[in-house]
Amino acid sequence: MSNLHLTRNAVWGQLAVMAMACSLVCVYSPPASLAGQMPADTKKESPKKDTSDKSASEDASEDDSEDDSDTASGVLAIVGGDVITVTRETIRGGTILIEDGKITALGNDIEVPKNAETIDASGQVITPGFISLNASRVGLRSSSDSSAKYADSLDPFDNNVRLAVGIGITTTCQKVTLRSGGSRGGRSEETLAGSSTNLVADGFPITERFPGLDPDLAQLALLKPPTETDYGEFISTCPCCGLPILPTEPLATPAPKPLTTQGSVVVKMSYGVLDDMLLRENVFFDTNSGALIGANNQRNWRGQIELARKYLTDQAEHEKATAAGKKVKPPRKPVKDDVLRLVKGEIAMRIPANSVSEMKDILLLAEELDYKVVIDGAAESWVIGRKLAEADASVILTPRRRRNAQFGAEDRTGTWIETTRVMEGQGVPFAITSLSGSISLNGLAGRDLTSLPLEAAFAVRGGATERAALAALTIVPARMMGLEDRIGSLEVGKDADILILNGPPLDYRTYVETAIVNGHRVYDRGQARVLPVYDK
Amino acid sequence: MLPGLLLLTLSCSAPLYASDSQSDDSSAEKPRYAIQVAKIITSAGKPIVGGTILVSGGKIEALGKTKEMEVPEGYEVVKQLDCFAMPGLIDAHSHVGGSGDLNEMVYQTNPELRNWDQIIPHNDDLKVALAGGVTTIAYIPGSGTNMGGWGTLMKTGPGKASDVIIKAPGVLKIAQSGNPERRDGEVGSGRMGMNYVIRQQLEEGRVYVRLWDNFEAGRTDKKPKVNLRLEYFKPLFRGEIPVVVHTQAYQVVQSTLRILHDEMNLKVVIDHGTFDSYKISDEIIKRNIPVMAGPRGFRYEPEDGQIKGIVAEYAKRGVTWLGVNTDAPVIPQEDLAFQATMAVRYGWNEEDAIDGLTIEAAKALMIDDRVGSLEPGKDADILITTGSIIDPRNYVKQVFIDGVSIYDISKDRRRY
């Protein structure tokens, strides 16, 4: 067992080779002999026999999925559960149909196609998958290679992915360091879509999936790796026992710092399925705490926005002129792309801020310069609820985070458990994040990423409605990322990211029985056996 | 030194703060309450549905069904008919009762150290803690050395030190692995050495107490010399206070049972009991030793890749004297109930969890004559909650400590 790591890496090496082989299969319409190596092909004959690239890829994806999730008709039906849609009314004893990774029908009077695979969810609760905005290192391996692509860092077999989806998180937004690799820019999600492949192993003999893979090594690939722990920036460790401790001292407005930006990757928790695991990159203009503090920083920022707006105008004029047949020199781009996207309203600024004075500065600038802002942390947001609402801002909260009040200023400083109630009352959208964004197996319970639904229970403790608290895990973060057309609620046409729960979503006793991501059944509690197994 | 002064100091002898609230003049002026709630969780038998608690002189006077009880004159009625009442919660492992001085790491064993001189009653952490329902903590030294010193059993409410201390010395802190390891070549760089150091120190204390026992029983005329370093071993070896032990993992708990229980005959509290130590449950049951597990709540079992609830694993093996701790500030003090929430999520029984937060912890700390349940004669440490404290959606609306309302969200700003 001591060389488990090494051995495992060896397996990953093999898997990576397989994956590369498969991606070739998908992208470049393969010869039949190669396609025949896809093991499921031997068991099930795909009804469609098309030669185009696209359908070859689809065929592969269908064949590679678990056989209990795809049938001849390719339709998965969930029947009998109480469906909490989040954005619409709850449907008692409803039916959901899923095809090609999307929700195709939802309601009470839905006919289930004959060949559909059906999950009986009577007596259970169905919700959209939860979304985490602060996840760290879940299904995304770090790389020392600065030219590596995020798509190549994805690891659908990361045990963290299974633990995350096991408590209901189907989508994570993970901050990443922007890399300066030459080909990095050209690798957007559009080009990625065709390059990934399906790797389904859980509950299956992996050697069937990957003929030629050493069976012993394959066995090891199914073992769970030890998990690294990232406690997040707010947490210090106990000098006595080394365990993490949250600071509680009163907040101070940070000193001005130069504005820097960070990238983000939105990753689906599709355990065992690499296809469509990467949802989108850079969904925020992510900047640092202190970036908009101080006259100098603010002047620079105004200047940037001004340049960006001027560029957009110049560009429009240039396009007009070019269309008119004139030969004009195109304007030089004076700012980074993410500033342009912010100005165009494609993304929101996400900025960590906690004190009232810092948040006020951020709101003033956002209103003046007209872009959307999401304040992360927002410890003292309860003091300026109305201002936040007027500025059309939204906040990311962790109800249990505690910063003490300044002495003598208890009514206007520090955190407050009732912040979620205040936000809901003022109409400020709020998302919930867990105390730590990584998955920690050090034994402290209910504080890492896997405590996300429990953190939302604390939002209810603070006085928010259950409805708002559930929205804070689903549609609100989806809207913050501009992904509300894809995730965050159960509606026809949206991604089939669905949880079947054995109780109400915010009840501490509730477990996910089945999780479906992108239409794939990626987690079954009884089969996965990663969370405690007992009879409730 | 000044032996005269030492003798003077010690003449009052341990325990310095034996519970004696009757002698407190203020108790006569304490308010009288009739608290009426939807349900009383007593931690002493079945809950009372539709119940009333009569409080006077800081103590619980009586409790029963509201229908069957008359409210005597002069009692202020507290009507919370949609709420629960329950005993205040007790944390058997906390470091936030005072200034942050947890460890003095010159000597390997420190029976000369006591921490009740640096307590800070009702500090910022405790203010929030009591809004989370915590009314009593074992405020103990850290695990930087094998014997960190003597801890204090205290309440979280406001007042002078003498108002909040239940018992001092309340417990002895011993640490048997990990943190107290000395890495510079002395004895005690490993577990064999550490256990020698612990045994040696306890043996010295035991002999000292025996000498005093013999003298006090009149078996000898020779009065032993007072030794400040060893004085507090008296209540320990007389079985009046327990030793709380930083012990975790099977092997370490095994050594705890052998050395501290079997050889030294002490009242032992396993005050971490995490990792795989639940596997020694049968030996724990045989000796009837309490486990106050935490701050870790689960173990990731490498053998099958499964997360296992530590308390649930003890319970599954038949251990009933069970509770949780926070090791605050590792887990914030206010999240004591949440530690139990997670234990229940991972398979513990909810009713047992409520007992574990109250009466089982009180018994472990040997203060169940004062706190831990709602019974006539006990301290009126009462929580009014919006429902079961195990559900994090519920919260504490009002807290009584020693019969005085010290937190009331109808008047005070909500703290948790």
Side-chain angles (χ1 to χ4, degrees):
Chain A
M1 287 297 277
S2 61
N3 60 351
L4 179 68
H5 282 85
L6 275 176
T7 331
R8 208 170 166 281
N9 284 343
V11 178
W12 277 109
Q14 286 209 27
L15 282 181
V17 172
M18 290 297 180
M20 279 162 68
C22 291
S23 53
L24 287 177
V25 169
C26 299
V27 177
Y28 308 104
S29 180
S33 61
L34 240 181
Q37 279 187 16
M38 303 307 292
D41 258 7
T42 57
K43 284 192 289 186
K44 279 187 292 183
E45 207 44 42
S46 179
K48 284 177 270 177
K49 279 293 162 203
D50 203 318
T51 47
S52 78
D53 290 4
K54 193 165 171 286
S55 64
S57 145
E58 275 175 1
D59 283 356
S61 87
E62 263 173 38
D63 292 338
D64 249 1
S65 317
E66 308 191 7
D67 28 53
D68 56 2
S69 72
D70 287 72
T71 62
S73 73
V75 176
L76 177 62
I78 307 168
V79 299
D82 291 341
V83 185
I84 304 178
T85 59
V86 174
T87 42
R88 287 149 205 243
E89 288 304 298
T90 295
I91 304 160
R92 305 250 168 245
T95 297
I96 306 174
L97 298 186
I98 298 159
E99 203 173 352
D100 290 333
K102 301 281 180 188
I103 298 170
T104 53
L106 173 68
N108 277 118
D109 305 309
I110 308 264
E111 203 180 316
V112 177
K114 253 191 189 156
N115 292 331
E117 190 221 335
T118 305
I119 302 174
D120 181 9
S122 19
Q124 303 197 302
V125 178
I126 294 167
T127 67
F130 306 144
I131 299 166
S132 161
L133 291 177
N134 71 338
S136 165
R137 285 191 261 174
V138 187
L140 197 65
R141 287 181 180 260
S142 55
S143 168
S144 54
D145 179 1
S146 64
S147 66
K149 333 284 186 292
Y150 300 128
D152 299 334
S153 308
L154 295 173
D155 179 359
F157 290 115
D158 180 358
N159 195 42
N160 280 350
V161 173
R162 181 152 61 169
L163 287 164
V165 78
I167 63 98
I169 297 170
T170 55
T171 304
T172 57
C173 177
Q174 308 188 39
K175 279 191 187 175
V176 286
T177 314
L178 284 174
R179 290 149 176 169
S180 51
S183 57
R184 165 79 184 77
R187 192 75 178 234
S188 66
E189 62 265 27
E190 289 83 25
T191 50
L192 292 165
S195 71
S196 49
T197 184
N198 267 353
L199 302 170
V200 181
D202 192 28
F204 282 80
I206 195 169
T207 43
E208 258 187 54
R209 295 267 168 269
F210 301 104
L213 188 70
D214 182 331
D216 290 332
L217 291 179
Q219 210 42 49
L220 280 171
L222 297 176
L223 287 178
K224 298 91 195 168
T227 312
E228 287 180 274
T229 305
D230 176 6
Y231 298 120
E233 59 180 318
F234 278 99
I235 301 174
S236 60
T237 51
C238 172
C240 171
C241 63
L243 287 167
I245 297 174
L246 289 163
T248 55
E249 68 271 17
L251 288 160
T253 299
K257 279 181 216 108
L259 185 146
T260 56
T261 53
Q262 218 184 346
S264 58
V265 200
V266 183
V267 180
K268 290 277 189 99
M269 297 291 100
S270 51
Y271 182 72
V273 185
L274 184 55
D275 253 0
D276 303 321
M277 192 175 175
L278 183 69
L279 177 52
R280 199 167 289 174
E281 289 182 32
N282 301 332
V283 288
F284 289 109
F285 180 85
D286 264 312
T287 189
N288 55 306
S289 166
L292 299 181
I293 289 180
N296 216 22
N297 272 347
Q298 295 179 358
R299 188 179 59 90
N300 287 346
W301 179 240
R302 280 194 180 94
Q304 287 231 8
I305 298 290
E306 209 173 290
L307 285 174
R309 291 209 190 283
K310 183 166 182 306
Y311 170 74
L312 290 175
T313 319
D314 291 352
Q315 203 190 26
E317 270 170 24
H318 172 256
E319 270 169 27
K320 223 190 277 169
T322 319
K326 286 183 209 157
K327 266 213 159 177
V328 198
K329 225 173 127 193
R332 193 185 60 85
K333 192 164 68 180
V335 292
K336 285 185 182 159
D337 277 342
D338 48 2
V339 180
L340 292 176
R341 293 176 66 208
L342 177 72
V343 167
K344 284 195 268 186
E346 289 172 13
I347 52 173
M349 170 187 277
R350 176 168 66 170
I351 181 164
N354 285 295
S355 73
V356 165
S357 76
E358 189 179 8
M359 285 191 286
K360 273 185 178 168
D361 278 4
I362 290 165
L363 296 180
L364 276 174
L365 283 166
E367 283 189 295
E368 177 197 321
L369 303 172
D370 192 25
Y371 51 79
K372 286 211 83 163
V373 69
V374 176
I375 298 182
D376 191 1
E380 292 175 351
S381 53
W382 56 273
V383 185
I384 51 165
R386 213 174 60 200
K387 273 209 164 58
L388 286 160
E390 284 165 4
D392 205 14
S394 43
V395 292
I396 304 174
L397 302 170
T398 306
R400 269 190 297 167
R401 179 159 289 152
R402 168 158 71 90
R403 300 305 292 256
N404 292 336
Q406 312 269 5
F407 185 72
E410 284 78 7
D411 57 341
R412 58 186 184 280
T413 57
T415 50
W416 191 26
I417 186 71
E418 294 191 50
T419 301
T420 49
R421 178 183 62 74
V422 175
M423 293 299 112
E424 188 179 359
Q426 296 285 358
V428 179
F430 66 91
I432 300 284
T433 52
S434 45
L435 288 161
S436 155
S438 62
I439 286 182
S440 157
L441 297 178
N442 74 358
L444 294 185
R447 315 195 78 72
D448 69 348
L449 184 62
T450 65
S451 67
L452 184 61
L454 289 165
E455 203 60 51
F458 279 92
V460 176
R461 181 195 189 101
T465 59
E466 300 244 352
R467 195 187 172 88
L470 184 59
L473 299 181
T474 52
I475 192 66
V476 174
R479 285 179 187 139
M480 286 174 175
M481 297 189 287
L483 289 168
E484 68 271 21
D485 56 329
R486 295 284 302 274
I487 54 174
S489 66
L490 297 181
E491 290 173 73
V492 170
K494 279 197 166 188
D495 292 9
D497 295 352
I498 301 170
L499 308 177
I500 302 176
L501 307 167
N502 63 4
L506 303 182
D507 191 307
Y508 68 98
R509 289 159 296 197
T510 295
Y511 277 103
V512 175
E513 292 298 345
T514 299
I516 292 160
V517 179
N518 288 334
H520 300 284
R521 194 168 168 171
V522 296
Y523 175 86
D524 277 294
R525 182 173 164 230
Q527 205 185 343
R529 294 181 76 85
V530 284
L531 291 164
V533 179
Y534 65 92
D535 295 323
K536 212 166 67 155
Chain B
M1 288 296 285
L2 301 163
L5 186 68
L6 276 186
L7 278 172
L8 196 71
T9 317
L10 288 163
S11 60
C12 45
S13 191
L16 284 181
Y17 298 92
S19 55
D20 192 14
S21 51
Q22 255 63 42
S23 67
D24 194 341
D25 294 339
S26 65
S27 70
E29 302 153 19
K30 278 186 174 163
R32 296 173 171 200
Y33 292 108
I35 300 167
Q36 301 184 334
V37 292
K39 186 171 168 183
I40 304 172
I41 295 166
T42 61
S43 291
K46 285 214 165 89
I48 301 166
V49 177
T52 295
I53 309 167
L54 296 184
V55 173
S56 70
K59 301 281 178 186
I60 294 166
E61 192 183 327
L63 71 171
K65 279 200 172 292
T66 303
K67 280 186 288 195
E68 296 157 11
M69 295 210 8
E70 263 181 47
V71 177
E73 216 165 291
Y75 283 68
E76 186 187 326
V77 177
V78 178
K79 256 201 177 108
Q80 295 281 6
L81 296 181
D82 52 355
C83 289
F84 290 13
M86 72 173 293
L89 314 183
I90 300 167
D91 192 346
H93 194 136
S94 169
H95 301 296
V96 296
S99 61
D101 310 281
L102 298 181
N103 291 300
E104 300 229 358
M105 292 168 44
V106 178
Y107 309 120
Q108 283 168 302
T109 58
N110 298 281
E112 71 281 359
L113 301 180
R114 58 183 208 184
N115 75 354
W116 48 96
D117 304 306
Q118 66 257 31
I119 67 168
I120 303 174
H122 210 47
N123 60 48
D124 281 345
D125 286 324
L126 299 184
K127 276 180 192 162
V128 183
L130 77 87
V134 181
T135 56
T136 297
I137 59 170
Y139 170 48
I140 58 177
S143 50
T145 63
N146 292 120
M147 197 176 283
W150 303 89
T152 313
L153 301 176
M154 61 183 283
K155 297 204 179 171
T156 54
K160 299 187 294 290
S162 56
D163 298 327
V164 300
I165 291 175
I166 300 173
K167 221 176 180 185
V171 296
L172 172 65
K173 172 74 180 280
I174 283 181
Q176 282 189 288
S177 72
N179 303 333
E181 280 165 27
R182 302 235 160 176
R183 302 187 193 279
D184 45 4
E186 308 166 59
V187 168
S189 61
R191 287 177 189 175
M192 283 197 293
M194 287 192 293
N195 283 329
Y196 161 71
V197 166
I198 291 167
R199 286 188 291 123
Q200 204 277 341
Q201 181 62 72
L202 286 172
E203 200 53 57
E204 189 189 358
R206 178 150 70 173
V207 169
Y208 177 80
V209 178
R210 202 174 289 151
L211 288 177
W212 276 95
D213 282 347
N214 285 342
F215 172 72
E216 280 168 18
R219 288 191 283 272
T220 171
D221 292 337
K222 205 180 156 203
K223 190 174 180 184
K225 252 194 188 162
V226 169
N227 184 341
L228 188 54
R229 276 192 79 236
L230 304 175
E231 191 58 21
Y232 297 130
F233 280 116
K234 283 178 182 170
L236 181 75
F237 280 103
R238 286 169 184 167
E240 294 159 13
I241 64 170
V243 52
V244 294
V245 193
H246 169 104
T247 179
Q248 45 195 354
Y250 184 98
Q251 173 269 317
V252 187
V253 173
Q254 171 188 278
S255 70
T256 304
L257 300 179
R258 179 185 295 121
I259 297 168
L260 302 181
H261 180 272
D262 300 356
E263 293 177 15
M264 293 295 164
N265 213 3
L266 299 175
K267 304 274 187 198
V268 175
V269 180
I270 295 171
D271 218 3
H272 281 308
T274 46
F275 301 115
D276 63 345
S277 43
Y278 48 77
K279 290 181 178 167
I280 200 169
S281 289
D282 52 342
E283 295 293 319
I284 293 170
I285 295 165
K286 228 184 269 172
R287 292 166 177 80
N288 193 29
I289 285 174
V291 180
M292 298 290 129
R296 289 179 169 87
F298 71 86
R299 174 165 187 261
Y300 177 73
E301 176 91 66
E303 283 161 30
D304 56 10
Q306 201 181 98
I307 283 172
K308 295 200 167 142
I310 283 166
V311 183
E313 292 295 323
Y314 279 114
K316 207 162 85 183
R317 288 165 174 80
V319 178
T320 53
W321 197 352
L322 268 177
V324 289
N325 73 47
T326 61
D327 199 352
V330 174
I331 299 286
Q333 189 65 75
E334 63 269 22
D335 266 352
L336 178 63
F338 184 70
Q339 288 285 81
T341 303
M342 289 310 293
V344 174
R345 175 165 173 79
Y346 289 158
W348 199 18
N349 174 294
E350 180 157 345
E351 279 154 30
D352 294 345
I354 287 174
D355 284 348
L357 288 169
T358 54
I359 189 65
E360 301 300 340
K363 282 183 188 160
L365 298 170
M366 304 178 70
I367 44 175
D368 53 309
D369 58 326
R370 290 275 304 269
V371 296
S373 63
L374 300 183
E375 291 175 271
K378 281 202 176 184
D379 292 6
D381 296 353
I382 303 167
L383 313 179
I384 309 292
T385 65
T386 56
S388 168
I389 194 88
I390 304 294
D391 190 333
R393 290 171 292 186
N394 293 324
Y395 56 92
V396 177
K397 285 177 90 172
Q398 194 171 4
V399 179
F400 297 85
I401 292 185
D402 292 325
V404 179
S405 173
I406 50 167
Y407 171 70
D408 179 357
I409 63 161
S410 69
K411 296 176 191 138
D412 303 319
R413 180 178 178 72
R414 230 182 105 186
R415 291 186 217 129
Y416 197 50

